[in-house]
Amino acid sequence: GDNDTTHTTKQKKPKMKIDSKPEPTKLPKNDQTLVYLPVDTMRKFMKQAAENTKNNRETIAFVAGKKIGQHYRTSHLIFPKQTSTSDTCEVLDYPQLMDAIEKTQTVIVGWIHTHPSQTAFLSSVDMHTQFSFQKLLPEAVAIVHSPKFGTTKYFTITPESGMNKIERCKRSGFHPHEIGRASCRERV
């Protein structure tokens, strides 16, 4: 994995209907809107992230898809040009990311990143990033994978209290957040 390139991985269409029985890849979201991830999303992400993970560096990718009826069905993982450390990851070329979104005719419905040596949680920096995504698309989901602990967690910021608290926070970088469990919830 070259860390300074943009990769778009076309995913196979999920073998389920929108109104099918819930599966582990069906993420509940605000009210009745759901985000569907193909079963192999994390495998494809971790394959691309393997080199960074081996070098204790984070990797980020964006989950893109289309709204079908009331739900979002994801179809692409987009790995932007990025630089990273053991606890940060930065997109280097947002116009290139937007070009990939336009080319695939999708919208960003979430993002995935690794915590190579930590547990799967949303740091304060992650909360502010997720806030930005949820301002644009309330259904957006944050996915954090911890290779060291073998866990993947899915998060959203609660619509009222969490979003309001993050919006009022003017701090940047890593800092404590007193938003509480009701403000940022794990999705299963």
Side-chain angles (χ1 to χ4, degrees):
D2 181 8
N3 199 33
D4 291 330
T5 59
T6 300
H7 303 281
T8 301
T9 303
K10 177 73 174 151
Q11 295 182 333
K12 294 177 186 173
K13 293 194 184 263
K15 293 180 180 166
M16 63 178 140
K17 295 180 180 178
I18 289 176
D19 60 351
S20 68
K21 181 178 175 184
E23 296 187 18
T25 56
K26 181 173 157 181
L27 306 176
K29 196 48 204 108
N30 303 334
D31 299 320
Q32 297 299 313
T33 303
L34 302 170
V35 175
Y36 289 85
L37 292 174
V39 175
D40 61 351
T41 299
M42 290 309 300
R43 181 188 58 76
K44 288 183 176 187
F45 173 75
M46 288 312 301
K47 182 179 178 184
Q48 187 67 38
E51 184 71 23
N52 278 356
T53 299
K54 185 174 79 175
N55 292 310
N56 194 33
R57 292 192 322 242
E58 288 193 2
T59 301
I60 189 170
F62 297 93
V63 181
K66 295 181 180 185
K67 191 167 189 178
I68 300 174
Q70 188 175 333
H71 309 292
Y72 286 92
R73 191 159 309 265
T74 63
S75 56
H76 292 79
L77 272 176
I78 300 172
F79 292 84
K81 189 174 185 179
Q82 55 191 269
T83 185
S84 60
T85 67
S86 62
D87 61 358
T88 64
C89 192
E90 181 182 350
V91 174
L92 297 174
D93 191 345
Y94 277 100
Q96 189 178 33
L97 173 62
M98 293 301 106
D99 287 347
I101 292 295
E102 188 174 308
K103 180 180 177 185
T104 59
Q105 297 181 339
T106 57
V107 295
I108 295 174
V109 297
W111 59 297
I112 304 174
H113 75 289
T114 55
H115 283 179
S117 60
Q118 301 176 62
T119 59
F121 68 99
L122 284 185
S123 70
S124 56
V125 171
D126 298 339
M127 287 182 206
H128 285 268
T129 300
Q130 179 61 15
F131 169 83
S132 297
F133 282 108
Q134 278 186 236
K135 283 292 273 189
L136 294 172
L137 184 74
E139 294 81 9
V141 63
I143 306 167
V144 183
H145 178 71
S146 169
K148 180 177 181 177
F149 295 96
T151 57
T152 301
K153 294 187 178 180
Y154 304 81
F155 298 94
T156 56
I157 299 172
T158 56
E160 286 82 30
S161 64
M163 291 295 284
N164 289 337
K165 288 177 183 177
I166 299 293
E167 187 168 37
R168 287 192 306 269
C169 178
K170 301 304 176 200
R171 297 179 73 180
S172 62
F174 293 104
H175 57 277
H177 257 290
E178 303 294 329
I179 65 171
R181 295 189 96 160
S183 299
C184 181
R185 62 182 164 219
E186 182 180 344
R187 295 298 195 166
V188 278

